[in-house]
Amino acid sequence: HSTIKTLLSLITNLLLLPQYYHYYHRTVIVQAQFMPITVYYTFLACTTIRNVQILPVDYEIEYICRGSRVIVGPKVRKCLPNGTWTEITQHSRCCKYIFSLFLRNGRVALKPPGPPVEGTVLHYSCHAGFILEGRNITHCTKMGKWDSPKPVCLCKCGWESQTKLYIGALFPMSGGWPGGQACLPSAQMALDLVNNRTDILPDYELELIYYDSMCDPGESTKLLYDLLYTEPIKTVLMPGCSSVSTLVAEAARMWNLIVLSYGSSSPALSNRDRFPTFFRTHPSATLHNPTRVRLFQKWKWTKIATIQQTTEVFTSTLDDLEQRVKEAGIEISVRQSFLTDPAVAVKNLKRQDARIIVGLFYETEARKVFCEVFKEKLYGKKYVWFLIGWYADNWFKIKDPSINCTIENMTEAVEGHVTTEIVMLNPETVRGASNLTSQEFLGALMTRLGGKNPEETGGFQEAPLAYDAIWALALALNKTVAPLKAKGHRLEDFNYNNHDITAEIYRALNTSSFEGVSGHVVFDAQGSRMAMTLIEQLQGGSYKKIGYYDSSQKNLSWFGNDVWIGAGPPADSTIVIEEFRYVSQKLFAAVSVFAGLGILLGIVCLTFNIYNSNVRYIQNSQPYLNNMTAVGCMMALAAVFPLGIDGHHIHRSQFTVVCQFRLWLLGLGFSLAYGSMFTKIWWVHNLFTKKEEKKEKRKHLEPWKLYATVGVLLAIDVLSLIVWQIVDPLHITVEKFTKEAPKGDLDVLIQPLLEHCTSEKMNTWLGSPPHLVFPSHPCVLCMITAPVTMILSSQQDASFAFAALAIVFSVYITLVVLFVPKMRRLITRGEWQSEQQDTLKTGSSTNNNDEEKSRQLERENRELQKIIQEKEQRVSELRHQLVERQALRNRRTPSSVTNQNHSNPSPPSSQADPTSLLPPPGYPNPALDNHSPFTNSSNLYQADSKMSRNHCHNSQIPLLYK
């Protein structure tokens, strides 16, 4: 209730105010906390005071006067938390406007018309025969004061005959680039010096008519209209700011006007077809690009990123940069752009691992960009930013309400960035056309600026360009006087339709060449200034010169004082170190020891077999085939060494040879070792599975057949390897794995690589090359090892260990099973000793006695077989006689047969010779056997057959293993 009562009281008091005042609240903020305050309302003489009990904190009041009266003192007051108003010590009054627009010997133009308020502009000009001393323009500030003193018009004694030539200029006093703050005083300095020179345009006086373009093309369109359609006629137009210059230069051709810009860097303005009458003392922004490319090459960067504001000047600059870096073999890997908010673009730079970043944007947008850079941590020792050098030196320290970063945040984010800036101030101490050195010019400019801080004055760096632009124009106009006079023209005859005068001014500007305070002034064919480039780096919060680059001479002058946060310039991307994976040397050494011991065992077995080749037990096992097995096993074990050899031991160019060694050693070794074993097994299988009638043919097993079988198997394997070698030879392939980050704060990634021996059409594990036939245990091992090794091919240690141990294990089993029993028998039974002693006694080989005994047994065996065949034939005849006698008996009568049987109980065969019915030697006696062989023919045949097989068993086994 008290609050409502207070507000009603306030409204009542306001209604009671005199007609000279209006009062209203500006900020509608309802707060819970109120405090007693006093509001002072002052009238013309500040005699009336009215009190109000309470108002909310931050409440604002504004004073407005009626009629022609104006506010003297604070116009707006705000309620403070301490219960007082802002600027409480100053009274606000409504006073009558007393301001004279009179200028002796001149005139004053007020814009906009009416009482002067904040933003009101006064334009001063002098009558003919008088020259203006002081600024020709002044602005009303928010403090109620004019920003410059009132000028005076001085008489030009003896200059009454001079004619004025008017220059229409647009100076941006605010906006994205407020360059007019320093460029306008600089141009006025040049005008004063030119007009005071008797050797330059002695019959003419140059006068500058200018407006504030605010670096806004829309505002500039209106101002350009005013310049063109109001008197007097302007001979030349002088815009600043690229967007404004683009508009003016494109329209100027329609009015037959020359355009000379002091502050436009857009590369698009170099298009002579589009801007045929355009010149500029500010070099094109593309002049930065050769310097940038040279720095990329110096610091060995081949990959960069860009972020730009989407305006024509920066788009055309980036197009030129893209072409130049492409010619230099440098890649633009990331391109980002933004219109007003750079947040997304900066995040994309971070996400795509941009390191070397070129930023193209105006100063206000630069603060937005680096606020986002700070948030994304896109700064530090891993990053380098390249910016435009014409920002104010403290651009990152200026408070900007559009960002939410502190000055400390911005200072941290911009540290170490590099700028490329056109040399706008002559570094040499020379006096040019204006008879001033560059340092003298800076001193005079500082005096004209009234001691303003250069870092807070927009366009201070470009001020020498505006100064030299006036001198370039003055010298060009002075150069046209004589040619125009020869043609019957004068400069004052210029109008918007006179092409002859425009052509003369164009030719004079195009051939300009003089020393200015910004350096040597000369224009190229596109009307752009040619100049050197200054390279600076922000070190410790301030810019330091680190070099110059002359793009025309391609000469880089380097001071060597560049400073980096890390050990040196960062890499243009995360460094990827290729690292080959090799077999563990400890594992390779251990497996090699086992393989070496296996080869030693093979040598022992081979020596044992050769040394005891005359022993009967060794002879019966085909020692030559066993020798082949031992040699093959040693070759297979020898393949373990190249299987573990990789880039750690040899150069990569020799790795293909190692691949071939693996293939051939394993292929031939396994074929020789297990091919000979297979040959013996196969002949044993044949020996016991053939039919009985073919036994005689297989008794004589000749050794050459066994050797021939091994040779055929080996030849097939060699042929297969040769065809493989020719059609699809082995070559090296490199397998890449997922990148790995090493320990520590290193800006590198490890790219693991692994070399493989592969074929295009045949993926084969080299530990198991194509073989024809293996015995059981090696075959099983190969069937297990081959697929497992293919699965483990990406793990070099596991793959090598599995393959190598499989080879070692199979070879060890083969040698132990094949040779150790023979060694044990000969050693334990002493057979090798007795055989050797017999050989020493007889002086001849024991092999001859064994062969003689074998032949004798074979002869006896053949004789016994002949006897058996004769006896079998005799038995068959007797059986036939028995069958005939039985048939005769069956024809007799039963009675006679019965009588005969009772009278003759003995069979007729009882009269025969008993010896004729005895079995042949070696057969059992039927009288002693419960099963007589004569009961039926089948029993006799079976017994005979069994005896025949038993009889041949002992005699043929020794021949089998001969």
Side-chain angles (χ1 to χ4, degrees):
H1 294 292
S2 62
T3 302
I4 296 175
K5 182 179 179 181
T6 302
L7 293 176
L8 290 174
S9 175
L10 175 64
I11 295 172
T12 303
N13 291 332
L14 293 176
L15 293 175
L16 295 176
L17 289 177
Q19 61 178 351
Y20 302 108
Y21 259 121
H22 283 305
Y23 173 88
Y24 63 94
H25 68 278
R26 300 183 63 196
T27 307
V28 184
I29 301 178
V30 180
Q31 297 187 0
Q33 180 183 4
F34 293 87
M35 57 183 65
I37 57 174
T38 302
V39 183
Y40 298 92
Y41 302 101
T42 58
F43 295 87
L44 297 177
C46 302
T47 59
T48 303
I49 300 177
R50 292 184 179 272
N51 298 327
V52 179
Q53 293 181 355
I54 58 173
L55 281 175
V57 177
D58 288 337
Y59 203 88
E60 291 184 356
I61 61 173
E62 180 180 3
Y63 302 102
I64 300 176
C65 296
R66 288 185 174 181
S68 61
R69 292 171 174 81
V70 296
I71 293 293
V72 177
K75 186 178 182 181
V76 177
R77 297 183 189 272
K78 181 184 291 187
C79 180
L80 300 176
N82 60 3
T84 62
W85 292 93
T86 56
E87 300 177 310
I88 194 66
T89 59
Q90 300 182 28
H91 299 294
S92 298
R93 298 182 178 88
C94 284
C95 302
K96 289 185 177 181
Y97 173 66
I98 303 175
F99 187 81
S100 175
L101 295 179
F102 174 75
L103 178 64
R104 186 178 180 85
N105 298 321
R107 51 185 176 271
V108 181
L110 179 67
K111 291 187 178 182
V117 295
E118 180 182 351
T120 299
V121 180
L122 294 180
H123 292 273
Y124 300 99
S125 60
C126 296
H127 298 314
F130 294 87
I131 184 172
L132 187 70
E133 180 70 20
R135 293 183 62 182
N136 68 342
I137 189 172
T138 184
H139 299 79
C140 182
T141 66
K142 60 183 178 181
M143 300 300 296
K145 298 181 179 180
W146 300 101
D147 63 351
S148 62
K150 186 176 180 180
V152 296
C153 291
L154 302 178
C155 178
K156 296 176 61 175
C157 301
W159 293 357
E160 291 79 0
S161 60
Q162 283 189 329
T163 304
K164 286 191 176 183
L165 299 177
Y166 296 94
I167 304 170
L170 297 174
F171 286 93
M173 308 304 293
S174 58
W177 177 66
Q181 296 176 6
C183 289
L184 177 58
S186 177
Q188 291 173 335
M189 284 174 52
L191 279 174
D192 293 343
L193 293 175
V194 168
N195 290 332
N196 290 329
R197 289 277 292 267
T198 58
D199 58 333
I200 300 175
L201 297 173
D203 299 329
Y204 298 94
E205 176 188 354
L206 299 180
E207 183 172 335
L208 198 64
I209 301 175
Y210 61 90
Y211 297 107
D212 178 12
S213 68
M214 296 184 291
C215 201
D216 181 12
E219 178 70 16
S220 300
T221 302
K222 174 181 175 299
L223 298 177
L224 178 63
Y225 181 87
D226 292 341
L227 285 172
L228 295 176
Y229 286 96
T230 57
E231 293 291 340
I233 293 177
K234 284 73 180 177
T235 307
V236 176
L237 297 178
M238 285 187 61
C241 195
S242 293
S243 57
V244 174
S245 296
T246 301
L247 169 71
V248 173
E250 198 163 20
R253 63 192 300 180
M254 307 302 298
W255 276 268
N256 195 36
L257 281 168
I258 297 293
V259 180
L260 178 59
S261 176
Y262 56 87
S264 303
S265 61
S266 173
L269 292 168
S270 298
N271 188 342
R272 267 285 177 253
D273 296 331
R274 185 180 174 188
F275 312 104
T277 61
F278 180 77
F279 292 88
R280 54 182 166 183
T281 55
H282 193 299
S284 170
T286 57
L287 199 61
H288 295 262
N289 292 335
T291 306
R292 292 172 180 142
V293 173
R294 181 65 183 86
L295 292 178
F296 298 157
Q297 293 173 335
K298 172 180 175 56
W299 288 319
K300 299 178 181 179
W301 293 329
T302 59
K303 184 186 297 184
I304 65 171
T306 61
I307 178 173
Q308 64 153 122
Q309 183 181 355
T310 50
T311 59
E312 184 179 25
V313 56
F314 301 127
T315 300
S316 54
T317 301
L318 183 57
D319 292 340
D320 179 77
L321 177 63
E322 183 175 2
Q323 181 64 30
R324 292 179 184 273
V325 296
K326 184 178 180 181
E327 294 173 356
I330 300 172
E331 174 191 3
I332 300 180
S333 59
V334 184
R335 296 174 178 83
Q336 293 296 320
S337 61
F338 65 92
L339 185 60
T340 56
D341 186 4
V344 176
V346 173
K347 288 180 180 179
N348 289 337
L349 290 175
K350 177 73 173 181
R351 181 171 52 84
Q352 299 184 43
D353 194 30
R355 300 300 182 87
I356 312 304
I357 309 169
V358 178
L360 302 173
F361 29 72
Y362 284 116
E363 180 178 319
T364 53
E365 280 69 25
R367 286 188 283 269
K368 296 179 183 179
V369 169
F370 275 89
C371 183
E372 298 299 327
V373 167
F374 176 80
K375 296 176 184 178
E376 297 295 329
K377 303 300 179 185
L378 200 64
Y379 64 92
K381 66 179 182 180
K382 296 182 181 180
Y383 305 94
V384 177
W385 282 84
F386 281 80
L387 301 181
I388 302 169
W390 40 256
Y391 300 161
D393 287 347
N394 66 334
W395 65 270
F396 52 92
K397 297 180 181 178
I398 298 175
K399 292 184 179 180
D400 192 337
S402 63
I403 63 175
N404 55 358
C405 294
T406 64
I407 295 177
E408 291 74 18
N409 298 153
M410 296 292 292
T411 304
E412 181 180 351
V414 300
E415 179 65 24
H417 77 264
V418 178
T419 65
T420 53
E421 177 184 355
I422 306 302
V423 176
M424 301 178 185
L425 188 66
N426 196 339
E428 300 178 1
T429 306
V430 295
R431 296 185 182 274
S434 64
N435 199 31
L436 288 178
T437 65
S438 57
Q439 297 303 317
E440 290 173 347
F441 162 77
L442 289 179
L445 179 60
M446 290 298 296
T447 302
R448 186 171 284 261
L449 290 176
K452 290 183 179 179
N453 186 357
E455 294 183 356
E456 298 177 357
T457 304
F460 186 83
Q461 294 179 342
E462 290 79 11
L465 303 180
Y467 183 86
D468 284 344
I470 296 295
W471 277 99
L473 177 60
L475 294 174
L477 292 175
N478 187 63
K479 193 185 296 184
T480 62
V481 172
L484 288 176
K485 186 177 181 179
K487 295 179 181 180
H489 296 296
R490 297 176 302 173
L491 283 174
E492 59 267 30
D493 297 337
F494 175 80
N495 57 58
Y496 298 143
N497 297 315
N498 194 322
H499 295 279
D500 292 337
I501 297 177
T502 302
E504 286 297 332
I505 298 174
Y506 179 90
R507 278 191 290 269
L509 275 174
N510 201 34
T511 57
S512 295
S513 179
F514 65 94
E515 289 294 330
V517 296
S518 63
H520 187 69
V521 179
V522 63
F523 302 103
D524 61 15
Q526 286 75 38
S528 297
R529 170 80 176 276
M530 298 172 64
M532 294 181 64
T533 308
L534 170 65
I535 307 166
E536 292 184 316
Q537 186 182 37
L538 189 69
Q539 301 175 4
S542 61
Y543 288 99
K544 305 294 182 183
K545 296 179 182 180
I546 60 176
Y548 287 94
Y549 183 69
D550 185 355
S551 58
S552 61
Q553 302 294 329
K554 295 183 179 181
N555 180 34
L556 177 64
S557 301
W558 197 248
F559 300 160
N561 59 337
D562 47 318
V563 177
W564 305 98
I565 299 176
D572 55 7
S573 61
T574 301
I575 300 175
V576 178
I577 301 177
E578 293 185 347
E579 187 175 276
F580 282 90
R581 290 180 174 177
Y582 299 125
V583 175
S584 171
Q585 296 307 298
K586 294 181 179 179
L587 175 63
F588 178 62
V591 175
S592 298
V593 169
F594 280 104
L597 294 175
I599 293 175
L600 184 60
L601 177 60
I603 294 173
V604 171
C605 293
L606 181 62
T607 304
F608 165 81
N609 209 51
I610 294 174
Y611 183 75
N612 296 285
S613 61
N614 295 327
V615 178
R616 182 185 306 169
Y617 180 69
I618 300 300
Q619 286 183 344
N620 291 340
S621 63
Q622 294 297 328
Y624 295 109
L625 292 181
N626 292 342
N627 293 343
M628 294 181 186
T629 301
V631 173
C633 289
M634 288 187 289
M635 292 179 65
L637 287 172
V640 171
F641 299 103
L643 195 64
I645 292 177
D646 48 29
H648 184 76
H649 306 90
I650 60 173
H651 191 267
R652 188 180 179 188
S653 60
Q654 302 171 338
F655 195 66
T656 305
V657 178
V658 175
C659 292
Q660 306 301 335
F661 267 105
R662 295 178 185 178
L663 180 64
W664 283 88
L665 282 175
L666 283 171
L668 298 181
F670 271 71
S671 296
L672 191 61
Y674 299 107
S676 58
M677 293 179 65
F678 163 74
T679 300
K680 291 200 297 183
I681 295 173
W682 183 68
W683 280 104
V684 169
H685 171 75
N686 271 354
L687 191 62
F688 283 98
T689 57
K690 290 294 183 179
K691 294 182 179 180
E692 192 71 21
E693 58 270 15
K694 297 183 179 180
K695 289 181 180 179
E696 184 66 26
K697 295 182 180 180
R698 69 167 182 252
K699 290 175 184 176
H700 302 284
L701 184 60
E702 300 181 6
W704 69 268
K705 293 182 179 180
L706 300 176
Y707 306 149
T709 303
V710 176
V712 170
L713 296 178
L714 190 61
I716 294 175
D717 208 359
V718 170
L719 182 61
S720 301
L721 292 174
I722 292 175
V723 172
W724 186 2
Q725 184 87 8
I726 296 174
V727 175
D728 190 16
L730 292 172
H731 61 276
I732 302 174
T733 57
V734 178
E735 180 182 2
K736 292 185 178 181
F737 300 90
T738 304
K739 296 183 179 69
E740 303 171 352
K743 296 181 180 180
D745 186 19
L746 299 176
D747 189 22
V748 297
L749 288 176
I750 303 299
Q751 174 65 73
L753 303 174
L754 184 60
E755 294 175 322
H756 294 284
C757 294
T758 58
S759 296
E760 295 294 337
K761 303 177 182 178
M762 187 172 184
N763 294 325
T764 303
W765 168 58
L766 294 183
S768 59
H771 307 307
L772 298 174
V773 181
F774 293 150
S776 59
H777 73 270
C779 184
V780 172
L781 283 174
C782 290
M783 291 177 64
I784 296 174
T785 304
V788 171
T789 308
M790 290 181 182
I791 296 173
L792 299 176
S793 60
S794 297
Q795 303 177 28
Q796 70 281 3
D797 288 342
S799 176
F800 168 71
F802 203 85
L805 292 178
I807 296 172
V808 172
F809 184 65
S810 62
V811 168
Y812 268 77
I813 291 177
T814 301
L815 294 175
V816 170
V817 171
L818 187 60
F819 291 99
V820 171
K822 294 180 175 58
M823 296 179 182
R824 182 174 176 274
R825 175 168 177 171
L826 294 187
I827 294 174
T828 57
R829 295 187 180 184
E831 293 183 7
W832 64 281
Q833 293 179 354
S834 60
E835 293 288 346
Q836 292 298 329
Q837 291 173 358
D838 293 341
T839 302
L840 292 174
K841 290 180 180 179
T842 59
S844 60
S845 175
T846 57
N847 188 36
N848 296 332
N849 295 332
D850 291 338
E851 292 180 357
E852 183 64 28
K853 292 178 181 180
S854 178
R855 286 194 293 271
Q856 182 177 355
L857 290 173
E858 288 179 0
R859 285 195 298 270
E860 293 177 356
N861 192 21
R862 286 194 294 271
E863 291 175 357
L864 290 173
Q865 287 181 354
K866 290 180 180 179
I867 294 173
I868 291 172
Q869 290 176 357
E870 292 175 357
K871 296 300 181 180
E872 287 178 350
Q873 184 176 3
R874 177 60 180 166
V875 170
S876 298
E877 292 176 356
L878 291 175
R879 287 175 180 172
H880 183 67
Q881 292 177 6
L882 288 174
V883 172
E884 290 179 352
R885 289 181 182 180
Q886 187 65 31
L888 290 176
R889 290 193 188 102
N890 291 337
R891 294 191 189 99
R892 295 177 183 177
T893 61
S895 58
S896 62
V897 173
T898 304
N899 294 334
Q900 187 179 1
N901 288 338
H902 285 286
S903 60
N904 299 313
S906 300
S909 61
S910 61
Q911 304 295 327
D913 187 4
T915 60
S916 64
L917 298 176
L918 292 176
Y923 280 78
N925 192 341
L928 302 176
D929 195 349
N930 294 331
H931 304 283
S932 175
F934 297 101
T935 57
N936 55 64
S937 60
S938 61
N939 288 338
L940 178 62
Y941 180 78
Q942 289 175 0
D944 186 353
S945 176
K946 183 180 293 186
M947 289 299 297
S948 176
R949 285 197 297 273
N950 292 336
H951 182 72
C952 295
H953 183 269
N954 293 329
S955 64
Q956 290 186 355
I957 287 179
L959 296 178
L960 179 64
Y961 292 99
K962 182 176 179 181

